[in-house]
Amino acid sequence: MIQAKQELLAALGTVLQGLSQEALDSGLIKAAPAAAFENPKQAAHGDFACTAAMQLSKALKKNPRELAQTLIAQLQAQPAFERWVEALEIAGPGFINIRLKPAARQAVVGEVFAATTRFGHQPARDTSALVEFVSANPTGPLHVGHARQAALGDSLCHLFSTQGWKVSREFYYNDAGVQIGTLAQSTQCRLKGLKPGDAGWPESAYNGDYIQDIAEAFLRKETVTADDRAFTASGDIEDLDGIRQFAVAYLRHEQDLDLQAFGLRFDNYFLESSLYSGGQVEDAVSRIVANGKTYEDGGALWLRSTEYGDDKDRVMRKSDGTFTYFVPDVAYHVNKFKRGFSKCINVQGSDHHGTIARVRGGLQATGVGIPEGFPDYVLHKMVTVMKGGEEVKISKRAGSYVTLRDLIDWTSRDAVRFFLISRKADTEFIFDVDLALKANDENPVFYVQYAHARICSVLRKGVEQGHDEAAVAGADLSLLTAPTEAALMLKLADYPRMLSSAAQDLAPHDVAFYLRDLAGALHSYYGAERVLGDDPALTRARLALLAATRQVMRNALAVLGVSAPDAMERDSQEQQ
């Protein structure tokens, strides 16, 4: 069906170009309408819909329904439409509903078999994308906000990989500054026997039990190793710098364990301090000053960020000589660009919204050739955790928030990944622990995974009845004519388009939406048709459709980093 759709779109484009030529020549329009199909809201309206007649009617000064009739007549003369289309019908003010021949729908099964894990993938391109996400300062365990970033960022990386991009995952963190100083001070207080609530315990200190764990490991003179560093403790409670370095390494190790539990790896860890030690911050500021994009006022250096769409100019260097926090961000993104990444995506909390204009403005002001709109941002809102009908706000381990590890321990990696990607990033999300543990259709990840397991069960029974993989692969697909079969095949055929659209829109939640729709189509089919019947040829054809559905489910679940189990138990058992 993918081939059929491509041929039909090409034919539509040819016809539209011809119909538009008069309007193009007279300058009424600058370009012919793009050849595109929409998905009808109701299956009874056909497989595809075309709105081109309504788009052209004003420019050509023709009634849209009359123009639709002309368009239909020309489309029917196209070989692709003769081959793949059963009927073309006018609806409403000028919609053209397209009803495909069964063979066009059935072809998708063979296309899935041919491509297997690469079904929906685009050819490799000579471009690189960098996705920066999580980027937590090493001052404590990863919290649920970081968990949402992890789910979003990793899924985006998988999405862009399906579209042929070379993708790198990057974790950026501040290894100096006030927060790291507070971490060192908090650990030293624990080393001296103080604890939260004691007289002398700093008000700004970190209160989680993990600080005591760091202190005890420091006294034991342990060596801790993280992905990007290793450090051995001196055991000297007066060695504040040693405490700081050990605490950072300890928490980086802890964060690595969190990420491993989540099934996530990074290609690079980038330290904010390297921007200063390498002179990149000073270089970026010097370029902006040399380009005349700054001015001095009140002893501070200001960026003319209003020239780039910001609501007001921003301080770059304060009167005390220190830089404001967005300046190293500018230097960091110059670094990304110079490393050859033509597309960069930052996954951050929605509280970073105010920094976008000033960072992009600063990048333009450097004059190093960075395109406008660089980088892209995916901003996410808060996650509320519910358990036992009540909001969970505090983790004993973290002291003041629920951690990524808490969510995984309470539910599963699959549940955390699927749940946190199942809503648009810019919407607040309630993570219901009790729902994530349910083994029924109320639980969206169970609903999808059970569809995959159900297929595996039927395919195993098929093998027992003599319908092995080779027999299924050679099935007569023309027998797949039931309405639920047509709906399922259309959903399979929509997978490549969905992937491309989700990547373009930075919308990995579309994959979760698709999976729920695909699972629904599968469950409907399973309930309506008997797969393992008395007709061997029909049985093989239906097993082939199930095998193709299983492959697409596996592919889509892999984009989300979620497993595809071969067997699952329900709260209430069902059998065919």
Side-chain angles (χ1 to χ4, degrees):
M1 185 174 176
I2 308 304
Q3 178 186 349
K5 186 175 182 180
Q6 291 172 343
E7 291 181 10
L8 292 172
L9 284 171
L12 175 60
T14 299
V15 171
L16 289 177
Q17 187 67 34
L19 279 176
S20 305
Q21 198 59 53
E22 181 181 342
L24 288 166
D25 292 341
S26 61
L28 292 174
I29 58 174
K30 294 182 179 179
F37 294 141
E38 297 181 3
N39 295 324
K41 293 182 180 180
Q42 297 181 31
H45 293 168
D47 301 302
F48 300 134
C50 175
T51 61
M54 292 183 290
Q55 296 175 46
L56 272 175
S57 62
K58 185 175 180 180
L60 298 182
K61 297 180 180 180
K62 292 184 179 181
N63 180 284
R65 286 183 64 90
E66 292 179 3
L67 189 56
Q69 188 60 59
T70 301
L71 185 56
I72 284 176
Q74 295 191 22
L75 289 174
Q76 288 174 330
Q78 293 287 318
F81 276 76
E82 290 181 12
R83 179 183 182 188
W84 299 116
V85 174
E86 186 172 85
L88 292 164
E89 303 159 354
I90 301 174
F95 290 100
I96 298 176
N97 290 331
I98 303 169
R99 206 174 303 279
L100 299 174
K101 291 179 180 178
R105 301 188 199 97
Q106 295 154 358
V108 72
V109 176
E111 290 166 343
V112 173
F113 285 168
T116 61
T117 59
R118 293 196 59 80
F119 180 71
H121 287 220
Q122 298 301 314
R125 59 177 83 190
D126 191 25
T127 47
S128 298
L130 177 67
V131 183
E132 180 222 324
F133 58 109
V134 181
S135 293
N137 290 338
T139 55
L142 300 180
H143 55 62
V144 292
H146 298 130
R148 195 171 194 186
Q149 284 193 35
L152 288 165
D154 199 38
S155 297
L156 279 168
C157 290
H158 288 306
L159 259 181
F160 272 83
S161 292
T162 70
Q163 300 307 296
W165 291 79
K166 293 179 249 182
V167 182
S168 291
R169 295 161 169 82
E170 187 152 289
F171 188 122
Y172 171 89
Y173 67 89
N174 179 358
D175 56 333
V178 174
Q179 290 182 323
I180 302 301
T182 301
L183 172 66
Q185 184 185 29
S186 303
T187 306
Q188 189 177 52
C189 287
R190 289 278 194 167
L191 286 165
K192 293 181 177 180
L194 295 175
K195 60 183 183 298
D198 288 352
W201 182 259
E203 184 177 344
S204 62
Y206 298 117
N207 297 327
D209 286 355
Y210 67 93
I211 299 295
Q212 182 64 38
D213 295 339
I214 297 171
E216 291 173 0
F218 183 83
L219 286 175
R220 292 193 296 268
K221 300 183 180 180
E222 290 186 5
T223 297
V224 288
T225 302
D227 279 349
D228 66 321
R229 63 182 59 213
F231 191 81
T232 301
S234 67
D236 180 0
I237 65 174
E238 299 301 330
D239 179 12
L240 187 60
D241 185 64
I243 293 170
R244 177 186 63 78
Q245 293 189 63
F246 180 78
V248 168
Y250 185 98
L251 286 172
R252 278 293 308 110
H253 173 73
E254 286 292 302
Q255 290 178 352
D256 285 346
L257 295 178
D258 290 338
L259 296 171
Q260 289 167 19
F262 199 69
L264 180 59
R265 63 167 181 81
F266 282 90
D267 300 300
N268 188 44
Y269 290 86
F270 195 101
L271 280 63
E272 182 182 9
S273 61
S274 69
L275 296 170
Y276 292 95
S277 62
Q280 295 175 71
V281 172
E282 286 288 355
D283 179 67
V285 173
S286 297
R287 287 178 178 275
I288 295 171
V289 171
N291 289 332
K293 301 300 181 180
T294 63
Y295 60 91
E296 298 269 356
D297 185 43
L301 181 68
W302 295 71
L303 172 67
R304 300 182 189 274
S305 52
T306 50
E307 293 185 14
Y308 303 99
D310 202 357
D311 58 345
K312 61 181 180 180
D313 292 341
R314 304 289 176 173
V315 173
M316 294 183 64
R317 187 174 56 230
K318 294 181 283 187
S319 57
D320 63 3
T322 60
F323 293 111
T324 53
Y325 63 91
F326 86 91
V327 176
D329 278 355
V330 172
Y332 175 40
H333 286 91
V334 170
N335 177 284
K336 290 181 179 181
F337 182 72
K338 288 185 174 180
R339 278 187 276 158
F341 293 107
S342 57
K343 190 169 192 67
C344 290
I345 304 165
N346 297 344
V347 183
Q348 298 174 323
S350 57
D351 56 325
H352 286 79
H353 183 271
T355 68
I356 295 177
R358 67 197 72 167
V359 170
R360 286 176 172 169
L363 290 170
Q364 293 300 300
T366 61
V368 297
I370 294 176
E372 291 185 22
F374 182 98
D376 291 308
Y377 288 85
V378 174
L379 302 182
H380 69 86
K381 289 192 175 179
M382 293 177 58
V383 177
T384 300
V385 180
M386 301 291 292
K387 189 179 182 184
E390 297 182 354
E391 182 179 350
V392 184
K393 293 184 177 181
I394 296 177
S395 161
K396 182 179 179 182
R397 177 168 171 258
S400 59
Y401 53 81
V402 177
T403 69
L404 167 59
R405 203 96 58 90
D406 288 333
L407 288 185
I408 294 174
D409 290 344
W410 293 339
T411 58
S412 67
R413 177 200 295 179
D414 283 346
V416 175
R417 277 183 171 268
F418 194 96
F419 270 52
L420 293 179
I421 209 72
S422 64
R423 294 287 186 275
K424 290 183 178 181
D426 61 359
T427 60
E428 293 188 2
F429 180 71
I430 295 176
F431 190 106
D432 189 332
V433 172
D434 300 324
L435 176 61
L437 293 172
K438 288 185 176 182
N440 60 35
D441 291 349
E442 294 179 51
N443 178 351
V445 66
F446 180 89
Y447 182 72
V448 170
Q449 289 181 318
Y450 186 70
H452 180 272
R454 170 175 266 176
I455 294 172
C456 291
S457 175
V458 176
L459 291 174
R460 286 193 294 269
K461 291 176 183 177
V463 171
E464 293 171 3
Q465 295 182 15
H467 305 292
D468 60 16
E469 185 175 337
V472 169
D476 179 5
L477 301 177
S478 68
L479 300 173
L480 300 174
T481 58
T484 52
E485 290 168 339
L488 185 53
M489 289 184 286
L490 280 172
K491 183 55 65 174
L492 296 180
D494 194 43
Y495 181 66
R497 180 212 60 80
M498 181 279 299
L499 281 182
S500 176
S501 176
Q504 182 176 343
D505 297 340
L506 305 182
H509 62 272
D510 282 351
V511 183
F513 290 177
Y514 174 86
L515 275 164
R516 294 184 68 172
D517 288 346
L518 180 60
L522 180 279
H523 290 312
S524 295
Y525 174 52
Y526 184 87
E529 306 297 336
R530 187 178 180 191
V531 176
L532 302 174
D534 298 328
D535 183 339
L538 181 58
T539 294
R540 285 192 293 273
R542 288 179 168 171
L543 288 172
L545 176 55
L546 288 188
T549 304
R550 178 178 65 173
Q551 183 65 66
V552 175
M553 279 192 164
R554 285 178 174 174
N555 294 358
L557 284 167
V559 171
L560 302 185
V562 176
S563 70
D566 291 346
M568 296 178 73
E569 294 293 329
R570 292 181 63 92
D571 288 338
S572 58
Q573 296 296 319
E574 295 181 13
Q575 294 183 353
Q576 184 169 348

